[in-house]
Amino acid sequence: MAPQGKVYRGSVKDFQGFDANQDAEALYNAMKGFGSDKEAILDLITSRSNKQRVEICQAYKSLYGKDLIADLKYELTGKFERLIVSLMRPPAYGDAKEIKDAISGVGTDEKCLIEILASRTNQEIHDLVAAYKDAYGRDLEADIVGDTSGHFKKMLVVLLQGAREEDDVVSEDLVEQDAKDLLEAGELKWGTDEAQFIFILGRRSRQHLRLVFDEYLKIAGKPIERSIRGELSGDFEKLMLAVVKCIRSKAEYFAERLYKAMKGLGTRDNTLIRIMVSRSEIDMLDIREVFRTKYEKSLYNMIKEDTSGEYKKALLKLCGGDDDAAGEFFPEAAQVAYRMWELSAVKVELRGTVQPAGDFNDDGDAQVLRKAMKGLGTDEGAIIEVVTKRSNAQRQQIIKAYKAHYGRDLLADLKSELSGSLAKLILGLMLTPAQYDAKQLRKAVEGAGTDESVLIEIMATRNNQEIRAINEAYQEAYHKSLEDDLSSDTSGHFKRILVSLALGNRDEGPENLTQAHEDAKVVAETLKLADVSSNDSSDSLETRFLSILCTRSYPHLRRVFQEFIKMTNHDVEHAIKKRMSGDVRDAFVAIVRSVKNKPAFFADKLYKSMKGAGTDERTLTRIMISRSEIDLFNIRGEFIDLFDKSLHHMIEKDTSGDYRKALLALCGGED
């Protein structure tokens, strides 16, 4: 069933020993009389390929003179009926029916149009156009033109031609030119040249466009997706993003669509049915593995929790297996992971959202702050305006000017005038970065219990210079060494990781390819993912593994992780999660994510601090303070890429009052 030379990646296969007449008779008996045997219907239909189902329809007509699809519609109801009937249509006719439904009646289901037309191959598009004409006697292009408008319509028409280049021979010169043309059509232009985006993204081959996207990242300093979000809007923006995602990885695109169809309250059943049916004989195994890697949960289990009855049973049969139980990891997810490691190696300028004030006057700011706290009441707005709009170095000058003018401690005055979350945020901003990190670490280890997540977040993400400054600040503030406190408050391998990181001795040189290959072998053997001959004892291997992750430079580790994927077909982060546990696992995952993409690591932490009921204000405050002058602008970009909503919007929705005002000032803008 797979094209020659390719491994079949569908979850539904031809049924061995297939007999169309026998199956037609079984379905007839399941629907005969009062009621119907839904279990028998779903078992039979979900275990036959689409080609075999078409033959069953023909045999049913020959044997009983009746239309099988019409009988199924009559006997079944609701979502289960829609799913089973969808399975009976040939793929092109299924797509034609979905598009007809999307543009019929009042309003248009743009998401359905986008999903189908952005993801189908040239041949699938040609088959769809023919099926639409055959089924409805109408021209698909004319119907879409009549139901859509603007640049969205133009791009849909381009995709409907099914004329994407299919030549795998790529010209480096043309790759560079296309990347440059896209940059000049968007980021470097007043307004946007949408026609250039439509031409390049609608016509070039997938292989060519992947290289264009890589080149674009190098010259623009941001992924093409982020530029599309900034330059385009509405359904046109959504369509172009879908095209880019499908070029990168269709499996990843459909995994994301399925996740969004089931997350939160309610289920988007039409989307769920359409994807499960249309991909069951193409790439469902790839979708499953990417889903498991990306969302740390199997597609099978999410369907199981989100649906019910025969509908659930049929969907689970199409899914074909539970990856949580199997614990497998397959090539498509490895390819996605490898691509992410390659992209992470591209130098992107890190930018904070807080810059030094251009017209800075420390005496004037000291006076504003004193006035805001003098007498009855406090002018929190004035305090927020000064503190959030100055760099940390400027805040230190304000502290000195305040002391010189008024003989008072600014931090003490702020502490007595402010309260709650706002006080923690403003006071945190007034400390130097090293003092603030030292204080957070001290809080994490003192008293009953240890806040391991804070220790991991800070120790796994700071560079050598930052770690050394933290050590000095810690010693000065608490008259104890950070290493001693970490040693006395933690144990085992977790303690060894933290102590190693606390030395601030990570290599700072470039990658060493020969060493990277050897290091990847150690990682693979430690995680028992490769048959690597070694005379090392288990303890010696673990020591080397720890040393590699805690002392090798970031560029070198990126190369190690790429070599690991080539060697094992596993992503190192996924492998660590499957084979380690507790604080050790969390620490190593934090290091890996920091190496891969530090802004994305913090974007994920910020999202988790605000999603669901309640807000983890400690984490939210800590990250907003510590990253505001380093890479908060980049974090904002990763946030919207990962979660399809802006950090500004989520802070606005999840916090309130002066605390919200101060956070939004640090955030620095709406994306």
Side-chain angles (χ1 to χ4, degrees):
M1 291 172 68
Q4 193 171 3
K6 288 191 176 182
V7 177
Y8 181 68
R9 300 297 290 160
S11 54
V12 175
K13 302 177 181 177
D14 280 333
F15 185 75
Q16 298 302 308
F18 171 67
D19 185 319
N21 288 332
Q22 190 175 307
D23 284 350
E25 185 180 349
L27 288 172
Y28 181 79
N29 289 331
M31 293 186 282
K32 190 169 65 175
F34 186 74
S36 55
D37 187 345
K38 297 180 180 66
E39 191 88 26
I41 293 169
L42 81 86
D43 274 341
L44 191 151
I45 289 176
T46 58
S47 58
R48 304 300 187 267
S49 67
N50 187 269
K51 178 171 164 286
Q52 291 174 333
R53 292 184 210 119
V54 170
E55 290 183 46
I56 294 169
C57 283
Q58 293 164 347
Y60 194 90
K61 187 84 168 177
S62 298
L63 289 171
Y64 306 108
K66 302 178 74 174
D67 185 294
L68 176 55
I69 290 179
D71 280 2
L72 288 167
K73 280 184 176 179
Y74 180 79
E75 291 291 331
L76 308 176
T77 59
K79 295 171 286 192
F80 179 55
E81 177 253 317
R82 184 178 175 88
L83 174 61
I84 293 297
V85 168
S86 294
L87 285 166
M88 301 308 296
R89 296 189 183 98
Y93 285 84
D95 282 349
K97 174 71 165 61
E98 291 294 320
I99 285 184
K100 187 75 169 76
D101 289 347
I103 58 180
S104 296
V106 180
T108 304
D109 183 352
E110 290 86 1
K111 289 181 179 177
C112 174
L113 297 181
I114 290 168
E115 179 195 300
I116 292 174
L117 295 180
S119 65
R120 300 316 192 239
T121 65
N122 287 346
Q123 188 58 55
E124 287 167 342
I125 292 287
H126 297 154
D127 293 344
L128 160 62
V129 171
Y132 191 91
K133 183 76 171 175
D134 181 51
Y136 307 109
R138 298 178 63 86
D139 181 71
L140 177 54
E141 183 179 324
D143 279 2
I144 283 181
V145 166
D147 213 62
T148 57
S149 62
H151 297 298
F152 179 56
K153 175 180 72 177
K154 290 175 186 173
M155 185 62 179
L156 289 177
V157 169
V158 168
L159 294 173
L160 269 173
Q161 307 315 302
R164 186 176 295 286
E165 295 165 358
E166 294 180 331
D167 188 359
D168 283 339
V169 178
V170 176
S171 160
E172 288 183 18
D173 290 342
L174 187 56
V175 165
E176 290 178 11
Q177 187 60 51
D178 279 351
K180 185 181 171 190
D181 287 347
L182 287 171
L183 184 60
E184 290 177 352
E187 295 282 344
L188 301 183
K189 186 179 178 66
W190 180 260
T192 306
D193 182 358
E194 289 87 353
Q196 194 71 273
F197 278 86
I198 290 171
F199 176 76
I200 294 172
L201 295 183
R203 296 298 300 274
R204 299 291 194 231
S205 73
R206 293 183 68 198
Q207 180 62 22
H208 174 86
L209 283 174
R210 287 192 192 108
L211 296 174
V212 170
F213 299 157
D214 291 348
E215 180 65 21
Y216 187 91
L217 179 64
K218 290 176 188 173
I219 63 174
K222 62 173 72 172
I224 185 73
E225 292 92 332
R226 204 168 300 162
S227 291
I228 288 172
R229 284 195 177 96
E231 297 296 322
L232 311 180
S233 61
D235 293 322
F236 181 48
E237 174 200 333
K238 294 186 181 83
L239 174 58
M240 299 307 260
L241 286 172
V243 169
V244 171
K245 288 175 181 178
C246 287
I247 293 296
R248 290 198 189 279
S249 167
K250 285 186 187 179
E252 191 172 8
Y253 171 71
F254 284 114
E256 183 182 321
R257 291 278 295 154
L258 285 169
Y259 179 75
K260 287 180 178 176
M262 291 182 281
K263 77 167 185 173
L265 293 173
T267 305
R268 296 175 181 84
D269 292 293
N270 287 354
T271 301
L272 180 56
I273 291 168
R274 184 170 59 247
I275 296 172
M276 294 301 293
V277 170
S278 66
R279 310 313 292 185
S280 60
E281 293 183 50
I282 299 174
D283 54 4
M284 185 56 69
L285 297 185
D286 293 332
I287 292 167
R288 273 172 40 187
E289 72 189 49
V290 172
F291 193 101
R292 177 66 186 82
T293 302
K294 194 165 182 177
Y295 302 111
E296 300 178 16
K297 181 177 198 171
S298 71
L299 175 59
Y300 186 96
N301 267 328
M302 198 153 181
I303 291 170
K304 198 172 179 181
E305 291 169 8
D306 215 61
T307 58
S308 60
E310 281 86 10
Y311 176 53
K312 173 173 77 174
K313 290 176 186 173
L315 286 171
L316 292 178
K317 290 264 284 184
L318 293 180
C319 184
D322 183 1
D323 299 304
D324 282 342
E328 294 294 333
F329 190 84
F330 297 104
E332 177 67 23
Q335 287 168 17
V336 171
Y338 191 85
R339 172 171 55 79
M340 293 312 297
W341 285 116
E342 293 234 296
L343 292 177
S344 73
V346 177
K347 289 285 184 188
V348 175
E349 181 192 359
L350 297 179
R351 290 170 55 193
T353 53
V354 175
Q355 310 294 333
D359 55 349
F360 177 62
N361 181 328
D362 54 356
D363 289 335
D365 285 345
Q367 289 175 36
V368 170
L369 291 174
R370 181 64 185 145
K371 184 180 177 184
M373 294 185 283
K374 200 173 175 183
L376 290 174
T378 306
D379 186 350
E380 286 89 352
I383 295 170
I384 292 168
E385 181 65 23
V386 170
V387 174
T388 61
K389 298 293 171 61
R390 307 294 183 267
S391 68
N392 191 272
Q394 290 174 335
R395 292 182 208 124
Q396 302 313 308
Q397 289 179 245
I398 295 169
I399 292 171
K400 291 175 184 174
Y402 193 90
K403 185 82 169 178
H405 271 286
Y406 306 108
R408 301 174 66 92
D409 185 318
L410 176 54
L411 270 71
D413 281 0
L414 287 167
K415 193 171 185 178
S416 68
E417 293 290 328
L418 304 175
S419 62
S421 303
L422 178 65
K424 292 185 176 72
L425 180 64
I426 295 296
L427 288 167
L429 287 166
M430 297 308 297
L431 297 173
T432 68
Q435 288 170 341
Y436 183 70
D437 280 347
K439 186 174 183 180
Q440 297 305 304
L441 290 168
R442 179 68 174 173
K443 281 183 179 178
V445 296
E446 70 181 353
T450 305
D451 189 340
E452 291 85 0
S453 66
V454 173
L455 300 181
I456 291 167
E457 178 197 304
I458 295 174
M459 300 307 296
T461 61
R462 301 318 192 239
N463 62 36
N464 288 345
Q465 189 177 345
E466 290 166 337
I467 291 287
R468 290 165 193 161
I470 291 168
N471 276 312
E472 288 179 22
Y474 198 94
Q475 182 72 47
E476 185 178 342
Y478 308 111
H479 309 293
K480 292 184 73 175
S481 80
L482 174 59
E483 184 181 332
D484 286 347
D485 272 2
L486 291 173
S487 295
S488 63
D489 213 61
T490 57
S491 60
H493 287 306
F494 184 53
K495 177 175 79 173
R496 291 173 63 194
I497 295 166
L498 293 177
V499 169
S500 179
L501 294 172
L503 296 174
N505 282 334
R506 186 178 290 283
D507 294 339
E508 295 180 337
E511 67 181 57
N512 178 323
L513 186 55
T514 305
Q515 184 63 55
H517 188 75
E518 292 304 310
D519 287 347
K521 281 184 180 180
V522 172
V523 174
E525 177 66 6
T526 306
L527 295 171
K528 299 293 185 287
L529 286 169
D531 184 17
V532 181
S533 57
S534 172
N535 297 320
D536 290 332
S537 68
S538 176
D539 187 59
S540 173
L541 267 173
E542 287 174 353
T543 299
R544 287 176 64 193
F545 176 83
L546 187 149
S547 177
I548 289 165
L549 265 67
C550 294
T551 68
R552 300 287 197 254
S553 72
Y554 274 24
H556 181 80
L557 283 174
R558 288 191 189 100
R559 178 58 62 186
V560 171
F561 299 151
Q562 285 176 297
E563 290 296 307
F564 180 86
I565 290 172
K566 286 196 279 189
M567 191 179 294
T568 67
N569 225 10
H570 288 63
D571 176 53
V572 70
E573 181 184 334
H574 185 270
I576 288 169
K577 284 177 183 172
K578 291 298 286 185
R579 288 160 179 83
M580 293 185 170
S581 60
D583 298 327
V584 171
R585 176 199 60 204
D586 294 343
F588 282 139
V589 166
I591 293 169
V592 170
R593 286 186 170 179
S594 188
V595 170
K596 185 188 292 185
N597 186 333
K598 200 177 287 187
F601 169 78
F602 284 114
D604 183 62
K605 293 271 290 180
L606 284 170
Y607 179 75
K608 287 174 179 171
S609 75
M610 291 181 279
K611 76 167 187 174
T615 305
D616 178 0
E617 290 183 349
R618 286 187 64 192
T619 299
L620 177 57
T621 300
R622 185 174 61 251
I623 295 174
M624 294 297 288
I625 289 172
S626 64
R627 310 314 295 182
S628 60
E629 291 184 57
I630 301 172
D631 54 5
L632 189 51
F633 183 84
N634 306 79
I635 290 167
R636 274 171 38 187
E638 296 294 340
F639 195 98
I640 200 166
D641 286 350
L642 289 167
F643 307 112
D644 284 334
K645 59 183 72 176
S646 71
L647 177 58
H648 185 282
H649 173 75
M650 202 153 179
I651 289 171
E652 199 169 41
K653 183 173 67 75
D654 217 61
T655 59
S656 61
D658 291 319
Y659 178 56
R660 175 169 64 188
K661 287 179 190 172
L663 286 172
L664 291 176
L666 289 180
C667 185
E670 168 66 278
D671 297 297

